[in-house]
Amino acid sequence: MPFFTTIPQKDTASPRDQKNLQKTHDTPFLALLLSKDSGSVIHETFNPLGYYSYSIEKPFGGMKTTYLINRKTVRRLFKERFFGFRFALTQSGLGTSGYELRIEDAPVRFPNSFMSKDLETFGKSILRPFTDQEDPLLRNLKDVPLYSWLGDTETDKATQLFCPIDGPGISILKASIRTSRSNWDGLCGREWGFRICGDCLGVLGSLPAHLKHS
């Protein structure tokens, strides 16, 4: 389901794949919850029709809260799913766990390697930069406004992919995570592809996985 081609309406209460927050792939919905002013918890209810609903207020109309979810938990889920590639790209030390990271089919970080100068130069060139010393975006994610570009007159439709942080009209890059060269030499390599925002490197949807069959 192409979640990043349709902007969730402000009153959307459920993930569009009808899964709960722990399992949903509707990352824009997680961003919508985090964009709302609220206290520390979010109310989860299970609708008799068979889907989960979420609100920053207590449910009404006979519905009961089935689970209280800490706002920090929602932010963690958003960070893992939306910024998983960026985290792997920018983490310090030898932290790529045997995977090669690519942007536009060019290797940008090799397995178990430190960040290269070329990668750091790239990191400094994007709208939301990072260096080999720090990543201000991921460190201060709780202070980054989500959907701040979405005005009251906006519709719920986007004519192209949009980013919950940087909006529509962004540059889109192709990125991937690839197993080690030895796997490919052994005919069992695999590569997972993504579309990412060129400004913040958030994942905007997956591309078909590529597998080298034995």
Side-chain angles (χ1 to χ4, degrees):
M1 186 177 293
F3 294 116
F4 290 90
T5 59
T6 305
I7 302 169
Q9 298 185 21
K10 293 182 178 180
D11 60 352
T12 299
S14 301
R16 288 167 288 177
D17 55 8
Q18 298 184 352
K19 298 180 180 180
N20 64 23
L21 292 192
Q22 299 289 342
K23 296 181 179 179
T24 185
H25 296 287
D26 190 355
T27 308
F29 178 75
L30 297 178
L32 181 68
L33 282 180
L34 292 172
S35 72
K36 297 179 179 181
D37 294 331
S38 72
S40 60
V41 296
I42 292 170
H43 296 263
E44 176 185 277
T45 61
F46 187 69
N47 190 290
L49 296 177
Y51 57 87
Y52 295 87
S53 296
Y54 298 90
S55 173
I56 59 175
E57 300 175 349
K58 292 183 179 180
F60 58 91
M63 298 293 293
K64 294 183 179 180
T65 298
T66 56
Y67 194 55
L68 288 175
I69 301 174
N70 193 294
R71 192 176 180 86
K72 291 181 179 179
T73 299
V74 182
R75 187 177 299 110
R76 175 181 59 78
L77 293 172
F78 176 75
K79 185 175 181 179
E80 290 173 354
R81 294 168 193 179
F82 190 65
F83 283 123
F85 181 80
R86 179 171 176 135
F87 177 77
L89 200 67
T90 62
Q91 61 185 306
S92 61
L94 306 175
T96 53
S97 302
Y99 292 95
E100 181 181 287
L101 309 179
R102 294 174 167 237
I103 296 178
E104 294 296 309
D105 293 323
V108 290
R109 189 160 185 179
F110 290 97
N112 302 312
S113 66
F114 290 91
M115 186 184 298
S116 68
K117 290 296 182 182
D118 287 343
L119 178 54
E120 184 177 5
T121 298
F122 169 77
K124 292 178 179 178
S125 71
I126 61 177
L127 182 64
R128 300 181 184 276
F130 60 83
T131 70
D132 65 339
Q133 299 296 320
E134 63 174 353
D135 188 340
L137 176 60
L138 295 188
R139 186 188 64 202
N140 301 314
L141 188 59
K142 66 181 179 61
D143 300 320
V144 177
L146 300 168
Y147 293 110
S148 61
W149 46 269
L150 188 62
D152 293 334
T153 60
E154 295 278 356
T155 67
D156 65 326
K157 300 293 183 182
T159 57
Q160 54 193 321
L161 292 177
F162 72 91
C163 171
I165 292 179
D166 297 305
I170 54 175
S171 62
I172 307 296
L173 301 175
K174 176 185 174 184
S176 64
I177 298 177
R178 181 181 175 121
T179 55
S180 67
R181 186 177 299 276
S182 61
N183 288 101
W184 289 82
D185 292 340
L187 302 181
C188 58
R190 187 181 294 267
E191 183 175 328
W192 297 265
F194 315 93
R195 294 183 180 90
I196 60 174
C197 170
D199 294 334
C200 70
L201 309 186
V203 175
L204 306 178
S206 61
L207 295 167
H210 181 62
L211 173 66
K212 188 169 183 179
H213 298 281
S214 58

